[in-house]
Amino acid sequence: MNSYQGKTFNVVTYGCQMNVHESEKIRGVLSSLGMQEIEDIESADVVVFNTCCIREGAEDRAYNNVMALRPIKEKNPSKIIILCGCMPQQPKGKYKLKERLPFVDIIIGTHNVNQLDQYLLKYAMTKEHIYDIIEKPIGSLDNNNCVRDDKINAYVNIIYGCNKFCTYCIVPYVRGREKSRTPQDIYREVKDLVQNQGYKYITLLGQNVNSYGKDLKEKMSFSELLTYLCQIEGDFKIKFMTSHPMDLGDDLIKVMKQESKVAKALHLPVQSGSSHILEKMNRHYDIKHYMSIIKKLKRAIPNISLSTDIIVGFPGESEKDFNLTLKLLKKVKYDQVFAFMYSKRTGTPAATFDNQIDEKEKNIRLNKLLRLQKLIQKDQIKKYFNKTYDCLIRHINGIAVGITDGGKDIYIPNYKYVNQNYFAKVKVEDIRNHKLSGVIK
Ligand code: 5AD
Ligand code: SF4
């Protein structure tokens, strides 16, 4: 019995899939203390803000939402507010936050969130604010209880941290160096998710999954890990993110092609279509190399679904550089593009670069790029016609739908009374109003 038994909590998450999954683990920790999750953050006894600092916008959103709780905390001082994750882990982050958010009870970083239960128990005894940011990870939340958001797709961490130091990116500073989980540990978790909990998709997570295993005593490459996990019996598929073009070798393309359990979808951030900008970003590849990977992927896996990340307005990005990015989009024809305006991150090299682009110009470029991508995607729908995709069959509003590895829905109008949550081949036979429909083969 502890003083949190029967109390309520809510976890608010900002940022990437890594954070979404970390919050699932945080919910597991709070549930293990005997607490109940509720939706209303105003009435929850404990509110955790799991923050992101990849761009200024993410920080502003978190900051404003924490501030909005201030009057409630003043009325009800026993409410506990916790801030964790990437924001406080930034160099000098905790001091800025301590001054700006003095009513927050516990501020911890990314490396000690696995001690959250200990911090809460300490707080219950002392009632003293806790500000604790440590520089190196101690343990992890792996293999703890985890309260997952989704019943179909489960996230599984395979590698933490990043050694790449792209010049715009804060991640290596707040998430530390690469640290892989052991293959056995990952295998055990995936097997349990597939065979005992019925998950259909496993999404392996890492800032750079292609670096997997380099730091292990017994080395194992990412493609070897995939092959190993595909030995798990069951009707499931493996997705993964994020891949770095520099580390993506032919071995991975081969495994993606050969293993039916590996989804035919790849998120491969390019960041810019200009080799000159890529060099300034410290990405370690040029467009020629990137395009050679895309070519190989499309040749090996004709139905592959490709997505990417783009940064517009990186310091020194000329009109010519930007146009090269537009040209790249037209050439690759991604199924999805996540585009961002460059955001200056204190402590990263690019923050001190000359020729910072003004916000208005970044905005114009972003909108131009998004408009182009919308047209490309509209046009891309044609490529589905007469092709067969391995799909997860689901029921949506009484109609059977096949969902491709890339997340595209194929309606199966003449096939209403089927089971759901199994994989089957679906052939696209009709495209109307940008909607695909087909039959199970
Ligand atoms: N500004 C804008 N976008 C950024 N990203 C990372 N750092 C920044 C930054 N400082 C983008 C990259 C990365 C994605 C997760 O976020 O495109 O791939
Ligand atoms: Fe950031 Fe680059 Fe690492 Fe991705 S690879 S997390 S963009 S430093």
Side-chain angles (χ1 to χ4, degrees), residues 2 28 33 116 124 140 178 186 306 321 354 400 426:
N2 66 70
L33 286 172
L116 182 60
S140 76
E178 288 169 0
I186 299 166
L306 292 169
D321 293 315
D354 292 339
V426 180

Side-chain angles (χ1 to χ4, degrees), residues 32 43 53 163 185 189 213 241 280 301 310 313 355-356 392 420 435 439:
S32 310
S43 57
C53 61
N163 293 358
D185 213 12
E189 185 173 350
M241 65 189 316
K280 287 180 71 183
I301 311 157
I310 305 267
N355 301 324
Q356 299 280 334
L392 182 71
Q420 62 167 346
K435 287 207 167 83
V439 293

Side-chain angles (χ1 to χ4, degrees), residues 95-112:
Y95 300 106
K96 259 196 314 199
L97 290 168
K98 195 172 158 181
E99 281 160 29
R100 290 175 74 190
L101 302 166
F103 57 96
V104 171
D105 303 280
I106 300 177
I107 299 183
I108 54 177
T110 55
H111 297 319
N112 50 356

Side-chain angles (χ1 to χ4, degrees), residues 89 107-116 119 131-134 136-138:
Q89 192 71 45
I107 299 183
I108 54 177
T110 55
H111 297 319
N112 50 356
V113 68
N114 59 319
Q115 315 268 305
L116 182 60
Y119 287 115
Y131 302 105
D132 200 10
I133 311 295
I134 59 172
K136 286 219 163 95
I138 32 161

Side-chain angles (χ1 to χ4, degrees), residues 210-255:
N210 304 95
S211 273
Y212 176 78
K214 287 180 186 161
D215 58 314
L216 290 173
K217 258 198 221 118
E218 280 178 47
K219 306 247 175 307
M220 179 183 253
S221 69
F222 179 57
S223 62
E224 286 165 342
L225 175 73
L226 282 177
T227 308
Y228 177 50
L229 296 176
C230 286
Q231 289 169 18
I232 295 171
E233 275 179 34
D235 186 32
F236 74 100
K237 284 208 190 179
I238 302 175
K239 296 184 169 184
F240 51 87
M241 65 189 316
T242 293
S243 286
H244 191 298
M246 177 195 156
D247 298 321
L248 195 149
D250 294 348
D251 55 329
L252 179 63
I253 300 179
K254 196 167 158 200
V255 171

Side-chain angles (χ1 to χ4, degrees), residues 134-247:
I134 59 172
E135 292 311 316
K136 286 219 163 95
I138 32 161
S140 76
L141 278 173
D142 294 329
N143 310 321
N144 274 44
N145 278 341
C146 178
V147 179
R148 293 180 188 272
D149 273 328
D150 200 304
K151 298 278 171 262
I152 301 288
N153 173 59
Y155 292 125
V156 172
N157 288 113
I158 63 164
I159 179 169
Y160 294 96
C162 182
N163 293 358
K164 285 283 181 282
F165 289 93
C166 301
T167 53
Y168 50 81
C169 186
I170 194 76
V171 167
Y173 305 88
V174 294
R175 289 277 167 185
R177 296 298 71 75
E178 288 169 0
K179 194 168 185 321
S180 305
R181 276 176 87 188
T182 65
Q184 295 77 13
D185 213 12
I186 299 166
Y187 186 96
R188 227 175 293 129
E189 185 173 350
V190 173
K191 187 168 184 229
D192 175 58
L193 289 164
V194 169
Q195 297 184 352
N196 302 329
Q197 304 188 45
Y199 278 94
K200 291 292 161 189
Y201 292 113
I202 302 294
T203 303
L204 306 177
L205 294 179
Q207 243 77 45
N208 175 12
V209 291
N210 304 95
S211 273
Y212 176 78
K214 287 180 186 161
D215 58 314
L216 290 173
K217 258 198 221 118
E218 280 178 47
K219 306 247 175 307
M220 179 183 253
S221 69
F222 179 57
S223 62
E224 286 165 342
L225 175 73
L226 282 177
T227 308
Y228 177 50
L229 296 176
C230 286
Q231 289 169 18
I232 295 171
E233 275 179 34
D235 186 32
F236 74 100
K237 284 208 190 179
I238 302 175
K239 296 184 169 184
F240 51 87
M241 65 189 316
T242 293
S243 286
H244 191 298
M246 177 195 156
D247 298 321

